[in-house]
């Protein structure tokens, strides 16, 4: 990323501002704005997230908020209620209180003398969720949103219940928020009341997974703030982006299809990163695109930001399997709208271990499948963060426990863009069962690179109202895989792999189920893109990535990253252990030392479907002079055939003295899961 040294506007920074809430509480924020804004007011842009602007996101914030301020915007990065130095407690995600607070913050911004009264929102992940969700509430000053790595469906297209299957990221994200929601405020900001505020958070803490497991169906808990329930509520222009390696690419397609506002979609090869920091590359000049979008809709600048393709995507070329890539080869392609006139669904029937040609007449044949629990150990993360390397590895080992269908070697290049679909005529011998479908690019040497995947809990075969499977009965089900843009070159094969488990990416069924798939009646539907380079449409070249200079930090101790798969062939215990350790980092501007370490471990024993267990441990410490705090949180999820078992611990320390300790043990019934 190129560091931009000069900008059209000279800017100033308020390291800390208090934003008053209607109930008397205050939110903590950091503000950047042009110095000339007092005399010549500017629009304001808000990013509202719970990840601590003063320290844990300070480096990232310093790259893009001063950049936008330098282009004529007042940028406020605010911590949600109960996080960072803000008042209150943080009890869950996307609550009514959170949305009211964000609306109040937008109202406060609009009333400032240096603001024109027009506001926008931007963010990635939580901040993007907030931008879209608050847009649906129509606060009067909000004129545009820019969102990256988001969803409009909190139940089925977030880290919770993909295809009605419980994701292990449900546990991982609960562990993350268990840690973040119990961190102390900074005495340098809140003064002597820091300890009282901290203990208020500790006393109110509860593992969020308890809430999420209490709602295993799409009920009102998930419908609230899921914009897919009413797209018409959004009435402002939306610039939406994500990455193919992320878990959130599907929502970009739905936003373009269903929103009825000026909108643009962008999907690159990236993991869960802003596109100007995108990994795998190529990263792009995303902040320039953000400025253009806000200039168009908050300044009424007729700059063509809404011209050109509605959807711009990185069409990925074939690559060997790897858990990480520096760059993904490919090219940018543009679509005039979504659904695109360039994309046609092409159905291919499934024959015994073969994907037929379109129009083939394939006889019915029954194929059996019962996967070992080990299928899924090379699946990577539901949402890649590219640190440590967490993309799916060579699928050949996974395919050994799967039902595999291959095309013949392709005679010509095949491009797909959108969501592949598997339509199955399927039966199971147990009342609860799942099926995972993987699409792979198989090179002539046999190496298999996963292109996309999808999950379906067969008890959710008819939608959101789960019903047990009638053993032996055949069902017609539709399983949609994640959207993707991928080129399959001549000589390669396209592979569909089906498995009855995908642990630890998804929690397995209560007992091993044998599936039977009927060929002939089952098929793979690929979204084939017919355009070649001359027909891609005018895609305006992106500029190189750039941003403002990041704040100064000093790495005092190195971090550690690990992704280890182990198998004990005496006790038959298999495990995946993930270590993400940031080392010890000093924020030089505020003389604060921060250390973060998280260890995730997922294990199971042989074919015991009640043995899966996930264990997530977080440790976060802050130190400045004599002020030293540390929190250690742990969340463990295990199961019986009929229940999920949650165990959690929370300990807090001042120096070496433990000042808080609590444990939780809870049993929650499995609801067709």
């Amino acid at each position: 990323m190129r560091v931009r040294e000069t900008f059209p506007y000279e800017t100033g920074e308020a390291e800390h501002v208090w934003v008053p809430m209607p109930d008397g509480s205050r939110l903590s924020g950091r503000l950047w704005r042009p110095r000339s804004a007092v005399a010549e007011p500017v629009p304001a842009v808000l990013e509202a997230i719970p990840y601590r602007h003063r320290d844990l996101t300070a480096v990232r914030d310093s790259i893009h908020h001063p950049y936008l301020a330098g282009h004529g915007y007042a940028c406020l990065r605010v911590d949600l209620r109960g996080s960072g130095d803000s008042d209150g407690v943080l009890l869950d995600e996307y609550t009514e209180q959170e949305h009211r607070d964000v609306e109040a913050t937008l109202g406060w911004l609009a009333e400032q003398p240096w603001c024109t009264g027009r506001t926008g929102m931007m963010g990635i992940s939580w901040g993007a969720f907030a931008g879209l969700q608050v847009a649906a509430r129509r606060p009067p000053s909000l004129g545009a949103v820019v969102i990256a790595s988001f969803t409009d469906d909190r139940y089925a297209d977030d880290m919770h219940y993909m295809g009605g299957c419980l994701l292990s990221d449900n546990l991982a994200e609960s562990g993350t928020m268990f840690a973040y929601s119990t961190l102390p405020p900074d005495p340098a900001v809140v003064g002597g009341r820091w300890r009282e505020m901290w203990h208020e958070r500790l006393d109110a803490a509860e593992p969020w997974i308890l809430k999420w497991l209490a709602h295993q169906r799409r009920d009102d808990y998930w419908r609230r703030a899921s914009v897919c329930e009413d797209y018409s509520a959004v009435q402002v222009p939306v610039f939406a982006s994500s990455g193919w390696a992320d878990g959130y690419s599907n929502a970009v397609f739905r936003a373009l299809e269903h929103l009825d506002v000026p909108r643009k979609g962008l999907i690159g090869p990236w993991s869960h990163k802003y596109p100007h920091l995108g990994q795998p590359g190529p990263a792009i000049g995303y902040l320039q695109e953000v400025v253009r979008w806000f200039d168009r809709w908050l300044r009424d600048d007729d700059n063509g930001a809404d011209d050109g393709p509605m959807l711009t995507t990185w069409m990925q070329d074939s690559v060997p399997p790897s858990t990480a890539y520096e760059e993904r080869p490919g090219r940018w392609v543009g679509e005039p709208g979504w659904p695109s006139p360039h994309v046609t669904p092409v159905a291919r029937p499934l024959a015994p271990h073969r994907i037929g040609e379109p129009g083939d007449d394939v006889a019915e044949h029954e194929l059996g499948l019962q996967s070992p629990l080990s299928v899924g150990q090379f699946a990577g993360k539901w949402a890649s963060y590219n640190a440590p390397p967490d993309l799916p590895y060579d699928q050949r080992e996974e395919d050994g426990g799967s039902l595999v269908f291959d095309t013949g070697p392709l005679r010509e290049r095949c491009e797909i863009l959108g969501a592949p679909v598997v339509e199955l005529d399927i039966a199971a011998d147990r009342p609860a069962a799942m099926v995972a479908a993987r699409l792979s690019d198989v090179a002539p040497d046999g190496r298999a690179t996963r292109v996309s995947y999808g999950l379906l809990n067969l008890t959710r075969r008819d939608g959101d109202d789960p019903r047990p499977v009638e053993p032996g009965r055949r069902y017609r089900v539709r399983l949609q895989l994640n959207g993707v843009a991928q080129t399959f070159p001549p000589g390669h094969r396209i592979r569909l792999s089906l498995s009855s488990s995908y642990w630890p990416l998804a929690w397995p069924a209560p007992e091993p189920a044998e599936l039977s798939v009927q060929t002939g009646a089952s098929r793979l539907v690929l979204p084939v893109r017919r355009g070649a380079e001359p027909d891609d449409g005018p895609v305006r070249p992106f500029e190189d990535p750039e941003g403002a200079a990041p704040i100064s930090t000093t790495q005092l101790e190195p971090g550690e990253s690990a992704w280890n798969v182990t198998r004990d062939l005496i006790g038959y215990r298999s495990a995946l252990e993930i270590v993400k350790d940031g080392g010890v980092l000093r924020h030089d501007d505020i003389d604060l030392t921060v250390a973060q370490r998280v260890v995730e471990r997922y294990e199971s024993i042989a074919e015991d479907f009640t043995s899966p267990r996930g264990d997530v441990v977080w440790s976060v410490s802050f130190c400045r002079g004599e002020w030293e705090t540390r929190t250690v949180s742990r969340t463990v999820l295990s199961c019986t055939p009929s229940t999920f078992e949650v165990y959690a611990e929370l300990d807090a320390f001042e120096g070496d003295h433990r000042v808080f300790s609590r444990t939780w043990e809870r049993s929650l019934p499995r609801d067709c899961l």
Side-chain angles (χ1 to χ4, degrees):
M1 184 193 72
R2 180 174 64 232
V3 173
R4 181 85 176 259
E5 300 289 350
T6 59
F7 296 94
Y9 290 79
E10 182 183 354
T11 63
E13 175 186 341
E15 179 196 345
H16 188 267
V17 296
W18 289 116
V19 181
M21 295 293 103
D23 65 355
S25 299
R26 299 183 301 176
L27 301 188
S28 169
R30 181 177 295 208
L31 178 69
W32 301 260
R33 60 178 174 85
R35 295 188 185 279
S36 60
V38 173
E40 300 175 352
V42 297
V45 174
L46 171 65
E47 182 179 15
I49 51 178
Y51 301 128
R52 302 178 62 94
H53 70 81
R54 187 161 168 80
D55 38 62
L56 299 187
T57 68
V59 174
R60 187 184 77 184
D61 296 343
S62 68
I63 292 171
H64 61 249
H65 286 302
Y67 185 96
L68 267 64
H71 286 85
Y73 292 89
C75 293
L76 177 65
R77 163 65 179 88
V78 72
D79 282 333
L80 298 179
R81 183 183 295 249
S83 66
D85 300 314
S86 295
D87 291 343
V89 295
L90 182 64
L91 299 176
D92 200 359
E93 56 184 9
Y94 320 127
T95 64
E96 177 66 21
Q97 181 66 64
E98 172 190 332
H99 291 153
R100 286 202 298 263
D101 287 349
V102 172
E103 290 177 290
T105 303
L106 289 170
W108 179 84
L109 281 169
E111 293 171 356
Q112 299 309 302
W114 35 259
C115 180
T116 61
R118 302 174 74 174
T119 65
M121 289 187 68
M122 70 172 292
I124 184 172
S125 198
W126 192 310
F129 280 55
L132 189 63
Q133 292 166 0
V134 171
R137 297 166 69 94
R138 304 184 188 179
S141 72
L142 186 64
V145 296
V146 175
I147 51 179
S149 299
F150 69 100
T151 189
D152 56 345
D153 184 344
R154 294 182 54 216
Y155 175 77
D157 199 34
D158 197 359
M159 85 291 286
H160 300 296
Y161 295 99
M162 182 180 186
C165 300
L166 176 65
L167 294 168
S168 63
D169 269 37
N170 190 76
L171 170 63
E173 180 65 12
S174 171
T176 299
M177 296 316 304
F178 196 24
Y180 273 83
S181 65
T182 54
L183 298 177
D186 191 336
V189 174
V190 304
R193 67 190 186 105
W194 75 269
R195 186 177 287 109
E196 176 187 347
M197 292 174 65
W198 187 25
H199 279 268
E200 182 185 13
R201 297 175 184 181
L202 295 169
D203 290 337
E206 185 175 70
W208 291 13
I209 195 171
L210 296 176
K211 297 182 181 71
W212 299 342
L213 285 177
H215 299 275
Q216 295 172 32
R217 306 185 182 202
R218 183 195 294 274
D219 56 16
D220 289 343
Y221 174 83
W222 301 111
R223 291 190 184 99
R224 206 207 78 78
S226 285
V227 174
C228 64
E229 297 291 323
D230 181 11
Y231 290 104
S232 68
V234 177
Q235 293 291 303
V236 298
V238 176
F239 177 27
S241 65
S242 191
W244 297 129
D246 200 352
Y248 290 110
S249 60
N250 300 315
V252 176
F253 292 109
R254 292 194 301 271
L256 298 184
E257 181 175 1
H258 297 295
L259 292 178
D260 189 20
V261 295
R263 57 205 184 278
K264 287 282 187 177
L266 168 67
I267 312 177
W270 315 299
S271 60
H272 199 69
K273 305 279 188 181
Y274 270 118
H276 59 296
L277 306 173
Q279 298 173 322
I284 65 164
Y286 175 71
L287 293 180
Q288 296 95 306
E289 301 299 315
V290 174
V291 170
R292 282 167 52 84
W293 193 255
F294 283 140
D295 281 352
R296 174 68 183 90
W297 302 111
L298 299 184
R299 293 182 178 276
D300 302 321
D301 182 358
D302 190 11
N303 58 9
D306 49 338
D307 295 338
M310 178 184 287
L311 173 64
T312 303
T313 66
W314 185 251
M315 179 61 68
Q316 302 178 120
D317 288 343
S318 177
V319 290
S322 177
T323 57
Y325 301 95
E326 288 291 328
E327 297 271 332
R328 282 297 304 260
R331 74 187 194 282
W332 291 109
V333 299
E335 306 299 334
W338 195 262
S340 170
H342 299 152
V343 176
T344 303
V346 176
R348 289 173 167 260
L350 300 185
H353 312 296
R354 181 173 62 86
I355 299 174
E357 294 295 324
D360 280 358
D361 186 13
V362 175
E364 286 198 1
H365 187 86
E366 184 175 297
L367 300 176
L369 166 65
Q370 188 173 39
S371 303
L373 269 177
S374 58
V375 174
Q377 287 194 318
F378 300 106
K381 269 286 192 182
W382 170 79
S384 168
Y385 287 81
N386 211 48
D390 55 7
L391 294 175
Y393 193 48
D394 194 327
Q395 296 294 287
R396 284 178 289 183
E397 279 195 62
E398 308 279 64
D399 288 341
S402 307
L403 190 57
V404 174
F405 304 86
D406 283 356
T407 65
L410 298 175
R411 292 188 293 272
E412 59 185 22
R413 184 178 70 179
C414 175
E415 290 186 356
I416 62 172
L417 173 59
V421 171
V422 181
E423 297 176 355
L424 296 175
D425 189 319
I426 193 169
D429 67 347
R430 295 288 187 272
M434 68 168 287
V435 58
R438 310 189 307 280
L439 195 71
S440 296
D441 171 18
V442 183
D445 64 5
R447 287 183 291 179
T449 302
R450 197 189 75 191
V451 169
S452 182
Y453 77 100
L455 306 174
L456 178 63
N457 179 343
L458 292 178
T459 70
R460 270 74 169 173
R461 61 195 176 274
D462 295 324
D464 298 331
D465 184 20
R467 289 179 293 162
V469 173
E470 183 180 327
R473 178 181 171 184
R474 289 169 57 174
Y475 296 95
R476 184 79 178 173
V477 302
R478 183 179 187 273
L479 198 170
Q480 180 173 304
L481 281 63
N482 287 333
V484 70
Q486 180 68 40
T487 296
F488 299 89
H492 285 224
R493 289 172 291 149
I494 298 174
R495 173 172 293 169
L496 173 66
S497 307
L498 304 177
S499 61
S500 57
S501 64
Y502 209 38
W503 168 254
L505 190 144
W507 206 271
E511 53 186 342
E514 182 175 0
L515 307 179
S516 62
V517 175
Q518 298 288 330
T519 64
S522 299
R523 62 182 190 165
L524 170 66
V525 183
L526 294 176
V528 175
R529 186 176 188 273
R530 299 297 187 184
E533 282 90 344
D535 301 316
D536 286 340
V539 178
R540 179 175 50 83
F542 291 111
E543 298 178 42
D544 292 334
E546 63 181 28
I551 61 171
S552 173
T553 59
T554 303
Q555 192 76 41
L556 302 178
E557 295 181 17
E560 175 191 4
S561 293
W563 186 286
N564 297 315
V565 175
T566 59
R567 291 178 182 170
D568 170 13
L569 295 184
I570 297 176
Y572 300 105
R573 185 180 300 273
S574 298
L576 167 64
E577 185 173 81
I578 305 167
V579 178
K580 293 178 285 187
D581 188 329
V584 179
L585 185 72
R586 185 178 69 218
H587 291 260
D588 299 329
D589 58 335
I590 57 174
D591 190 29
L592 180 69
T593 299
V594 180
Q596 293 183 85
R597 179 179 175 86
V598 57
V599 178
E600 301 176 35
R601 183 177 176 85
Y602 305 95
E603 60 184 29
S604 60
I605 300 173
E607 297 309 298
D608 182 355
F609 275 56
T610 63
S611 67
R613 184 177 187 271
D615 191 338
V616 179
V617 180
W618 271 80
S619 176
V620 186
S621 65
F622 301 99
C623 182
R624 180 194 295 114
E626 295 183 356
W627 181 64
E628 183 178 354
T629 66
R630 178 166 56 98
T631 58
V632 180
S633 55
R634 180 186 185 196
T635 312
V636 180
L637 179 62
S638 59
C639 67
T640 71
S642 60
T643 63
F644 288 113
E645 302 295 325
V646 177
Y647 172 79
E649 301 173 348
L650 176 62
D651 291 285
F653 299 84
E654 289 187 41
D656 295 327
H657 179 59
R658 186 166 65 181
V659 297
F660 183 90
S661 183
R662 185 179 173 187
T663 61
W664 292 258
E665 289 188 77
R666 196 79 56 83
S667 180
L668 297 101
R670 298 176 72 150
D671 184 5
C672 294
L673 255 176

